[in-house]
Amino acid sequence: MEARTFTTLEFNKVIEQLSAKATSSLGREKIEQLTPSTDIAEVKRRQQATQEGCTVYRLKGTVPLGGIRDIRPACARARLGGTLNTAELLDVASTLYAGGRLKGFIAGIAENEPLPLLEELMNQVERLRDLEDQITRAIDENGVVVDSASSALSQVRSQIRGAERRVRERLEQIIRNSNSQKMLQDAIITIRNDRFVIPVKQEYRHAFGGIVHDQSASGATLFIEPGVVVTINNELRELKMKEEREIEKILLALTSSVAEVADALLHNVECLAEADFIFAKAVYAHDVKASEPIINDEGRLNIKKGRHPLIPAGKVVPLDVELGSSYTAIVITGPNTGGKTVTLKTVGLLSMMAMSGLQVPAEHGSEFTIFEGIYADIGDEQSIEQSLSTFSSHMTNISHILRKITHKSLVLFDELGAGTDPTEGAALAMAIIDYVHQRGARIVATTHYSELKAYAYERPEVINASVEFDEQTLRPTYRLLVGIPGRSNAFSIASRLGLPGQILTQARQMVSKEETKIDTMIASLEENQRQAEADRQEAERLRREMEEAKRQVEQQLTEFDENKDRLYQQAEEEARRAVEKARKEANTIIADLRRTAQEERAGIKEHKLIEAQKRLEEANPKLRKKKAKQVNVPVSQQPLEVGDEVRVLSLNQKGEIVDKVGSKEFQVQIGILKINVKSSDLEKLKPSKPQVTHQITKFRSTRDPVRMELDVRGNTVEDAILLIDKYLDEALIGGLNQVSIIHGKGTGALGIGVQKYLKKHRLVKALRYGGQGEGGLGATVVELK
C-alpha cells in the first residue's frame, strides 16, 4: 500500500484512535507499525486473534495488562556488562509479574472458551519467578535497596544509624546549651554536603570551631560543622561510601541474573506487546461497534450497513455496497456535499481495516476481499474557477494509478474527469473506467457528468448509484441508492428558493425531451426504491417479531422441561421417603413378632399373623399409576361377543347374541326366535353390559411349614451368615424351638465361622455339634430362645 493512500483514506487517524487503546508503549509501537496484509492466511490469523480478544473483553470487561514495561534497553545493557539501576530492575520484575498474571488470566478463560491463538501466545511467556523474587526481595516499591538484600548491607546500615545518632546527640547538647543558643540563628540541626551542621550567626563563627559548609543568601547565617563532630561525620561519610559499594555489588549481581535470561525476557516482551496489541484492537472494536468480517480472496466485497469510523455515531449514515459479484464498477452521481466522497472513503478505509486484522464498523456477515493495492484519487470539491493546474494534478495521480493497478486492485476516483470541458471530461472518464475494468480491478467512481449514467446502463459490469436528496428540505440524506443514477435537482432547488417561474419554464423548455424523460424515470425509480426499502423494513420488523415469539416459546418449553424434571425429582424423593418409612415399619413389626414369640414361648397365633400382615400391607407406599390412554374404537368395529346387541343386516332386525356356534357364526335371539347368523351379516350396536363380580381376598390361614434344618454347605462364611440370620427369623415365627445348621466338615473353617456367629446371636439360647444321626461334626444343633 502507498503512504499517500493511508493519508487520503485517513487510515492514519484510525491508527491514532487505536493507539489510544493500548496500555503500554510496546503495544503502541506495534500499532504504529500496522499496515494491511495481502496474504489471506495472515489476514485471517489477525482477524481470529482480534475475535479472541473481543471474546475475552466481552466475558471479563477488563484485561490485566498493567505493569508491562519496555525493558529491551535494560536487557541490552545487561548483556554488555553494564549495571542496571533500581528503576530498571523494578521494571523487569513488574514485566515478569504482569506476564504471569496475564498468562493465568487467559488460561482461566480458556478452560471454558476456546482461545487457541491467545493460549499459544501466552504459553511462550516464561514466568522466571526466581528472578522476580530476587529483585523484589532486594528492592522495595520506591526503588530503595532494602537492608535485607545482604548481610553486609544490613551491618553497614546499622553502623550508619549508630553514627548518625551520636552526631545528633552531640549537636543537640550544643543547641540545648543556654550559652550557645544566643550564638545560633535557629536551634535546629540540618545537613549540608551530606554532613550534619548547625546554623550559626556570622559574628560567632569562631565560637564552635570546625568547618563552614554553607551560608545564607544574606551572609548573616553560617552552616558550621562543629569540631566535636567532625571525626564522627568523617566516620559516617566512610560508612556511606561503604554502603554505596555494597549496593553496587547487589545491583551488579541482579544485573548478572537479568543478563543470563535476557533472551527469554526479550521474547516475553514481544509476546506481551502482541497481547496488548490484540486487546487494543478488541477495545477499539467494542467502542466503534464493529464486527468480525468474512475474508475472501475472490474479489468479492459486500458491506452491510457500513459506517465510517471517524464520523460520530449520531451523524454517520450506514451504507450498503456490493462489488465484485454481479458488477465490478459503481458510478455514483448526485448533488454536491451529498456524501459521495464519504462513500468512497468508507469503502476504501473499511477494506484497509479488514486487511489489517481490525474488525469493521458494519453488520455481522459483511464480506471483504484481499486487495494487492488500494488506490485513491480523492480531492476537495473544486469551484468553477478551478484551473488547469488542478486538472493536471488529478491526471498525474491517475496516470500513476493506472501504471500500478492489477486484477487485485481497488480504485477509487472522486469527480472523475472534472476540471476540464464537460464533453471531453465525460469522454475521458468513460475511457479511464473502461481501461481499469479491462485490467480486472474493482472501481468506485463519483461524477457529475450525466453521460456516465447512460454509460453504466450500457455495460452489465457497471452499475449506477446515487446519493439521495430530499427536495422538501433541500438537504442530502447521505443514503446510497445502488441501481439508481442521480438526477439534477437544479430546477427544484431554484423553485423553492424563489426563482421566478418564467425563468424556470424557459429553462425547462431548453432541456431536451430525452433529458426530461430520464429525470422522470429516475424520480420513479427513486420512489420505487423508497417503497421497496419501506417494505423491506416492515418485513424485517415482522421477522424480528416472529423470532422473538419463537424465542419466547422455546423459553417456555425449556421452563416446562425444567419444571417437569423438578417434579420428577420431588416424586422420587417422596417415594424414597415412603419406602424408607415402610422399611422402618416392617422392622418394627418384625421386632414386635420376635418379642411376642419370646414372651409367649410358643408359636404365634393366627390372629396375630393376620394383624402383622395387615400392618405390613398398610406400610407399603401406595404409588399412583398413570392411566393408560384409551383409544376409542367405534362400536361397529369392536369384536362380537356373547351378550352384544346387534343388527342382522339381511333381516334389518335387532337382536342379542346368546351363543357362539362356530368360529364365524353366532346364535342370535330376535324376539322369541333364535337363529344362527354368520358374523359378516351382523353389525354390533352395543357391547354387553359388564358383569359385576365381587372379589373376596381370603387370607391363608396356614403357612408353609418351616424346615427343621438349613444347609449352608458350599457358601462362604459371610453368605452363610446371611442365610442363617433369615432362617432363624423364619424359625422363630414358625414356632420352632430347635433347628440344625448343616455346614459340613471340610477344612472346618465354615463350621467354626458359623458357630462363632451363632454364639453371639440374639435368638440362640444354646448350640452344640450334632450327635449320632444328627450329622456329627458336620452340623450344629441350635436351641432357640
Side-chain angles (χ1 to χ4, degrees):
M1 298 291 175
E2 297 182 344
R4 175 176 179 176
T5 306
F6 292 157
T7 304
T8 301
L9 297 180
E10 300 177 295
F11 183 72
N12 55 332
K13 293 184 179 180
V14 171
I15 294 297
E16 290 176 6
Q17 290 185 343
L18 179 61
S19 182
K21 309 301 179 184
T23 60
S24 69
S25 61
L26 296 166
R28 286 188 287 273
E29 182 179 315
K30 288 191 73 69
I31 292 170
E32 290 166 1
Q33 298 170 354
L34 179 62
T35 56
S37 172
T38 57
D39 182 356
I40 187 170
E42 173 63 16
V43 172
K44 288 184 176 181
R45 190 199 67 80
R46 291 182 181 183
Q47 287 290 350
Q48 181 183 347
T50 305
Q51 181 60 27
E52 289 182 14
C54 291
T55 299
V56 173
Y57 189 75
R58 172 177 56 82
L59 293 175
K60 298 298 182 180
T62 57
V63 182
L65 291 166
I68 300 174
R69 304 285 186 266
D70 185 1
I71 59 174
R72 292 174 296 182
C75 291
R77 198 146 58 82
R79 278 176 162 175
L80 295 174
T83 303
L84 302 182
N85 58 39
T86 56
E88 291 171 319
L89 289 168
L90 283 179
D91 283 347
V92 172
S94 175
T95 303
L96 287 173
Y97 175 76
R101 180 178 56 186
L102 183 60
K103 186 173 184 175
F105 176 78
I106 296 299
I109 300 175
E111 291 179 357
N112 301 313
E113 196 77 25
L115 303 170
L117 293 184
L118 283 175
E119 270 197 293
E120 179 186 357
L121 184 66
M122 288 296 100
N123 287 338
Q124 299 177 44
V125 176
E126 294 190 42
R127 188 64 181 89
L128 302 177
R129 189 182 293 275
D130 290 342
L131 176 59
E132 180 191 341
D133 291 342
Q134 286 179 34
I135 296 172
T136 54
R137 281 198 301 264
I139 306 172
D140 66 17
E141 62 273 12
N142 298 316
V144 177
V145 179
V146 297
D147 294 358
S148 58
S150 72
S151 58
L153 181 62
S154 178
Q155 182 179 359
V156 73
R157 283 185 172 172
S158 178
Q159 293 173 351
I160 289 173
R161 286 190 290 270
E164 288 178 343
R165 186 170 57 252
R166 292 200 305 274
V167 171
R168 288 184 177 276
E169 287 175 354
R170 294 289 182 87
L171 292 178
E172 284 176 356
Q173 289 175 0
I174 294 173
I175 64 178
R176 283 200 301 267
N177 188 297
S178 58
N179 295 328
S180 300
Q181 287 180 354
K182 63 181 180 179
M183 303 178 190
L184 301 176
Q185 196 71 38
D186 290 298
I188 60 171
I189 301 171
T190 186
I191 295 175
R192 291 293 186 274
N193 300 326
D194 290 334
R195 300 177 77 89
F196 288 93
V197 297
I198 56 176
V200 180
K201 296 177 181 178
Q202 171 69 26
E203 57 269 26
Y204 298 109
R205 62 181 302 172
H206 299 294
F208 298 96
I211 303 169
V212 177
H213 287 281
D214 197 6
Q215 66 178 8
S216 64
S218 63
T221 303
L222 300 178
F223 295 93
I224 296 176
E225 178 185 359
V228 294
V229 297
V230 169
T231 302
I232 304 176
N233 266 336
N234 289 340
E235 179 187 349
L236 185 59
R237 180 60 182 164
E238 291 176 1
L239 289 171
K240 289 190 175 181
M241 292 175 63
K242 187 176 180 181
E243 177 192 25
E244 290 175 1
R245 289 194 296 272
E246 187 59 32
I247 290 174
E248 186 69 19
K249 287 171 60 179
I250 294 169
L251 296 181
L252 186 60
L254 292 174
T255 301
S256 177
S257 298
V258 171
E260 291 176 1
V261 294
D263 289 338
L265 287 172
L266 291 173
H267 188 65
N268 280 5
V269 166
E270 287 298 319
C271 294
L272 294 176
E274 180 68 18
D276 190 14
F277 172 50
I278 289 172
F279 287 115
K281 292 190 292 181
V283 174
Y284 180 73
H286 175 269
D287 290 349
V288 300
K289 296 179 174 58
S291 64
E292 181 182 12
I294 300 170
I295 305 297
N296 69 74
D297 196 21
E298 302 166 1
R300 190 171 59 256
L301 194 69
N302 186 10
I303 303 175
K304 301 177 180 179
K305 297 291 183 291
R307 306 179 305 278
H308 197 291
L310 302 179
I311 300 177
K315 297 181 179 179
V316 66
V317 178
L319 58 88
D320 295 313
V321 177
E322 187 176 354
L323 191 64
S325 296
S326 302
Y327 42 85
T328 59
I330 300 176
V331 177
I332 305 175
T333 53
N336 294 339
T337 68
K340 300 191 301 298
T341 303
V342 172
T343 299
L344 290 183
K345 289 186 175 182
T346 302
V347 172
L349 181 57
L350 296 192
S351 294
M352 296 180 76
M353 290 175 64
M355 293 167 62
S356 300
L358 301 177
Q359 295 195 350
V360 295
E363 280 190 355
H364 185 74
S366 294
E367 193 169 3
F368 291 83
T369 190
I370 301 298
F371 293 114
E372 291 179 350
I374 297 178
Y375 304 96
D377 179 57
I378 300 176
D380 294 333
E381 186 68 29
Q382 302 298 318
S383 67
I384 195 170
E385 291 88 5
Q386 56 188 338
S387 62
L388 180 62
S389 61
T390 301
F391 176 74
S392 299
S393 174
H394 278 286
M395 287 300 106
T396 301
N397 188 31
I398 291 173
S399 298
H400 171 75
I401 292 173
L402 297 181
R403 288 193 297 271
K404 294 276 189 178
I405 60 174
T406 68
H407 69 287
K408 285 193 172 183
S409 297
L410 173 64
V411 185
L412 307 171
F413 291 129
D414 190 26
E415 298 300 341
L416 184 59
T420 186
D421 178 77
T423 303
E424 294 179 352
L428 193 58
M430 289 184 284
I432 290 172
I433 293 175
D434 273 341
Y435 178 83
V436 175
H437 172 67
Q438 290 170 5
R439 300 290 295 272
R442 304 295 184 261
I443 314 162
V444 182
T446 68
T447 182
H448 278 300
Y449 297 135
S450 59
E451 289 85 350
L452 266 72
K453 302 174 187 177
Y455 167 84
Y457 273 119
E458 294 171 356
R459 286 164 174 75
E461 66 276 1
V462 183
I463 191 168
N464 274 307
S466 60
V467 286
E468 191 178 46
F469 188 85
D470 190 339
E471 294 184 9
Q472 300 299 320
T473 62
L474 301 182
R475 293 178 181 274
T477 64
Y478 302 103
R479 290 181 61 245
L480 182 67
L481 305 176
V482 179
I484 300 177
R487 63 190 180 95
S488 173
N489 295 287
F491 294 155
S492 299
I493 295 172
S495 175
R496 291 185 62 83
L497 293 178
L499 197 67
Q502 181 182 356
I503 297 176
L504 292 173
T505 301
Q506 185 177 354
R508 288 192 177 97
Q509 292 173 352
M510 293 180 180
V511 178
S512 65
K513 293 183 179 179
E514 288 74 13
E515 288 289 336
T516 304
K517 289 180 179 178
I518 289 174
D519 280 350
T520 303
M521 178 189 69
I522 292 174
S524 177
L525 286 172
E526 289 179 350
E527 179 60 30
N528 291 338
Q529 176 84 0
R530 280 192 290 269
Q531 184 61 42
E533 178 65 17
D535 293 343
R536 187 195 66 79
Q537 292 179 357
E538 176 65 16
E540 180 67 18
R541 183 186 65 79
L542 293 174
R543 183 188 64 81
R544 287 196 299 268
E545 290 179 357
M546 290 179 64
E547 288 181 350
E548 177 63 20
K550 178 182 176 183
R551 187 192 63 78
Q552 292 178 359
V553 170
E554 290 176 347
Q555 182 178 355
Q556 291 173 358
L557 287 175
T558 301
E559 292 176 353
F560 172 78
D561 289 339
E562 292 175 352
N563 290 334
K564 181 179 68 175
D565 293 341
R566 179 176 55 80
L567 291 173
Y568 278 150
Q569 291 176 357
Q570 290 179 356
E572 290 175 359
E573 179 63 21
E574 291 175 0
R576 186 193 63 77
R577 287 197 295 266
V579 170
E580 180 67 17
K581 179 181 177 182
R583 187 186 63 79
K584 292 180 179 179
E585 183 67 19
N587 290 339
T588 302
I589 294 170
I590 292 173
D592 290 346
L593 289 173
R594 287 172 179 164
R595 186 169 57 255
T596 302
Q598 292 175 6
E599 291 174 355
E600 297 184 2
R601 297 279 181 170
I604 300 176
K605 302 301 182 181
E606 186 64 30
H607 71 279
K608 293 186 177 180
L609 283 174
I610 295 174
E611 183 181 354
Q613 179 71 16
K614 183 178 179 182
R615 291 176 63 190
L616 281 172
E617 290 175 353
E618 291 175 350
N620 283 330
K622 301 299 187 296
L623 300 179
R624 291 180 296 175
K625 294 184 179 180
K626 183 177 179 180
K627 294 183 180 179
K629 186 176 181 181
Q630 296 181 351
V631 179
N632 293 325
V633 180
V635 174
S636 61
Q637 298 179 12
Q638 294 178 7
L640 297 170
E641 296 179 358
V642 175
D644 288 346
E645 183 178 342
V646 295
R647 180 190 301 277
V648 180
L649 299 177
S650 59
L651 301 176
N652 195 21
Q653 294 291 326
K654 293 182 181 180
E656 181 181 347
I657 297 176
V658 295
D659 194 9
K660 186 173 184 180
V661 296
S663 59
K664 294 183 179 181
E665 192 171 358
F666 296 88
Q667 188 178 69
V668 179
Q669 181 170 354
I670 302 175
I672 60 174
L673 297 177
K674 292 183 180 181
I675 59 175
N676 293 341
V677 184
K678 292 183 178 180
S679 59
S680 59
D681 194 25
L682 295 176
E683 179 185 7
K684 188 172 184 177
L685 299 178
K686 292 182 182 180
S688 58
K689 297 180 180 179
Q691 297 179 357
V692 179
T693 59
H694 299 279
Q695 296 181 353
I696 301 175
T697 302
K698 183 178 180 182
F699 187 84
R700 192 174 61 184
S701 59
T702 58
R703 297 178 57 88
D704 294 334
V706 180
R707 291 174 298 146
M708 297 292 294
E709 59 186 24
L710 173 67
D711 190 346
V712 296
R713 288 177 295 181
N715 291 286
T716 63
V717 175
E718 291 78 7
D719 292 341
I721 288 173
L722 293 175
L723 296 172
I724 292 170
D725 191 53
K726 180 180 180 183
Y727 172 67
L728 293 180
D729 285 339
E730 292 178 351
L732 177 65
I733 295 174
L736 299 181
N737 295 322
Q738 180 177 299
V739 295
S740 295
I741 307 297
I742 302 172
H743 45 69
K745 297 179 181 180
T747 61
L750 180 58
I752 293 172
V754 168
Q755 288 205 356
K756 183 178 180 181
Y757 171 71
L758 291 173
K759 288 178 181 178
K760 299 179 181 179
H761 199 282
R762 63 187 184 285
L763 300 180
V764 177
K765 182 177 181 182
L767 58 91
R768 60 179 174 82
Y769 281 113
Q772 187 175 4
E774 292 179 328
L777 298 177
T780 298
V781 178
V782 180
E783 184 180 349
L784 301 178
K785 293 182 179 179

